[in-house]
Amino acid sequence: MTVTYSSKVANATFLSFHRLLLRWRGSIYKLLYREFTLFALLYTILSLVYRLVLSEQQKRLFEKLSIYCDRYAEQIPVTFVLGFYVTLVVNRWWNQFVNLPWTDRLMFLISSCVQGKDEYGRLLRRTLVRYVNLTSLLIFRSVSTAVCKRFPTMDHVVEAGFMTPEERKVFENIRSPHLKYWIPVVWFSNLASKARQEGRIQDSIDLQNILNEMNLFRTWCATLFGYDWVGVPLVYTQVVTLAVYTFFFACLIGRQFLDPARGHAGHDLDLYIPVFTLLQFFFYCGWLKVAEQLINPFGEDDDDFEANWIIDRNLQ
């Protein structure tokens, strides 16, 4: 379920935004606590080994390795690579939200342009809207994990009332290796044209407006399918992930507090706890986790789109 907090910050008052830092559901703490705990544990183990286990000669070697890792870790362009990647993912996420298929405009046109107060007119309008909802359902089944679990087979689609048994036979008799979400669009267009011929739609302009709006709706569905079909190139995702984790692997050794008595540059203090390194891990890995959560907004994360709610709402 999408986590909303807008009502909590409706007014810009003192500490209003700071109260959000205490929320757990949908927070960065929930996403990152496992990796953060593991990083802190590994750092502590290395620190204890350096201080209590290694011999003097081994300590000198470890200190040289630590200085080497600290010097060259900064050459990994984490900020540049990660910042560009997150920007790309957030733009894709927002574009997918903008292209969610809402049926309102099309339903308003059907309600106002398809005439008839008799039972046939009512069923005609309901059938047209059902085809619209069936189109969006077929798309959501292909892109959303939650919807696919709710409607794993076409039997479930028929049982839910989106498709009749006769329509299912026609649907399955059309052989295609590709997603057949366009079939209800064809049914819709044919039924709307039939309604125009029967005088249920009194003007050709009304028919054109309905078909244009249906085509826009189909474009939204096709856009979602396109985003699911062509994702962010895998090589870029791998580069970003490797850059972040390689950087912090080097930090495990390079950010250790060395013996101040040795006089190494930048190691005048021995604070035991690397506060700023832990903050850096929290921010950079948190940035990466944001991208991991938003790269597919039709999963089952806290902030993913509620596709099942959209289906129920459109059907209602």
Side-chain angles (χ1 to χ4, degrees), residues 3 5 38 185 240 272 277 280 292:
V3 178
Y5 60 89
L38 179 61
V185 179
V240 174
Y272 297 95
T277 300
Q280 197 173 26
E292 290 178 1

Side-chain angles (χ1 to χ4, degrees), residues 50 59-74 250-259 262-267:
Y50 167 67
K59 285 183 179 181
R60 305 292 84 80
L61 179 61
F62 182 85
E63 290 166 358
K64 293 179 181 179
L65 180 62
S66 176
I67 294 172
Y68 175 82
C69 290
D70 186 42
R71 179 187 305 163
Y72 289 99
E74 298 300 330
C251 288
L252 283 175
I253 302 175
R255 299 293 177 85
Q256 291 287 337
F257 287 102
L258 305 180
D259 185 2
R262 301 298 302 174
H264 297 296
H267 291 274

Side-chain angles (χ1 to χ4, degrees), residues 8 11 38 42 45 76 106 111 125-126 163 204 213 232 268 304 312:
K8 304 298 182 182
N11 299 314
L38 179 61
L42 291 176
I45 291 175
I76 301 176
L106 191 50
S111 178
R125 288 188 291 270
R126 287 173 64 91
M163 181 185 291
S204 296
E213 194 63 40
V232 177
D268 303 325
D304 285 340
D312 293 336

Side-chain angles (χ1 to χ4, degrees), residues 20-212:
L20 299 177
L21 299 178
L22 303 178
R23 296 170 65 101
W24 173 256
R25 189 167 172 275
S27 67
I28 187 61
Y29 318 121
K30 184 177 179 180
L31 280 177
L32 198 60
Y33 76 93
R34 297 179 184 87
E35 290 85 351
F36 186 83
T37 302
L38 179 61
F39 180 81
L41 180 61
L42 291 176
Y43 184 94
T44 302
I45 291 175
L46 281 176
S47 180
L48 292 176
V49 168
Y50 167 67
R51 298 169 189 273
L52 304 177
V53 178
L54 298 182
S55 64
E56 289 299 320
Q57 183 178 1
Q58 292 171 334
K59 285 183 179 181
R60 305 292 84 80
L61 179 61
F62 182 85
E63 290 166 358
K64 293 179 181 179
L65 180 62
S66 176
I67 294 172
Y68 175 82
C69 290
D70 186 42
R71 179 187 305 163
Y72 289 99
E74 298 300 330
Q75 296 184 9
I76 301 176
V78 179
T79 304
F80 172 76
V81 173
L82 187 57
F84 186 79
Y85 181 71
V86 172
T87 300
L88 174 63
V89 170
V90 170
N91 286 335
R92 283 175 52 90
W93 169 79
W94 182 249
N95 287 334
Q96 289 180 76
F97 174 77
V98 170
N99 286 280
L100 287 175
W102 302 101
T103 60
D104 302 48
R105 292 173 53 178
L106 191 50
M107 289 192 293
F108 293 152
L109 281 173
I110 293 173
S111 178
S112 61
C113 297
V114 181
Q115 306 298 318
K117 296 183 179 180
D118 57 343
E119 183 66 12
Y120 178 76
R122 185 183 70 85
L123 290 177
L124 180 61
R125 288 188 291 270
R126 287 173 64 91
T127 303
L128 287 171
V129 174
R130 182 167 59 81
Y131 289 156
V132 175
N133 283 293
L134 177 58
T135 303
S136 64
L137 174 60
L138 294 177
I139 283 293
F140 281 133
R141 282 185 72 240
S142 70
V143 303
S144 172
T145 304
V147 175
C148 190
K149 288 182 178 179
R150 181 182 175 185
F151 301 98
T153 65
M154 295 305 295
D155 290 333
H156 295 83
V157 176
V158 174
E159 290 174 4
F162 288 92
M163 181 185 291
T164 66
E166 293 76 16
E167 291 168 349
R168 178 189 175 183
K169 292 179 182 179
V170 176
F171 184 86
E172 293 182 342
N173 286 335
I174 299 176
R175 301 297 179 181
S176 175
H178 310 292
L179 181 64
K180 297 185 288 186
Y181 73 94
W182 49 270
I183 294 178
V185 179
V186 176
W187 295 345
F188 179 97
S189 302
N190 291 336
L191 187 58
S193 298
K194 180 181 178 182
R196 173 70 183 99
Q197 294 172 2
E198 295 174 348
R200 296 283 179 170
I201 300 177
Q202 297 181 353
D203 196 293
S204 296
I205 296 179
D206 292 336
L207 175 61
Q208 181 180 3
N209 289 335
I210 291 175
L211 294 180
N212 286 341

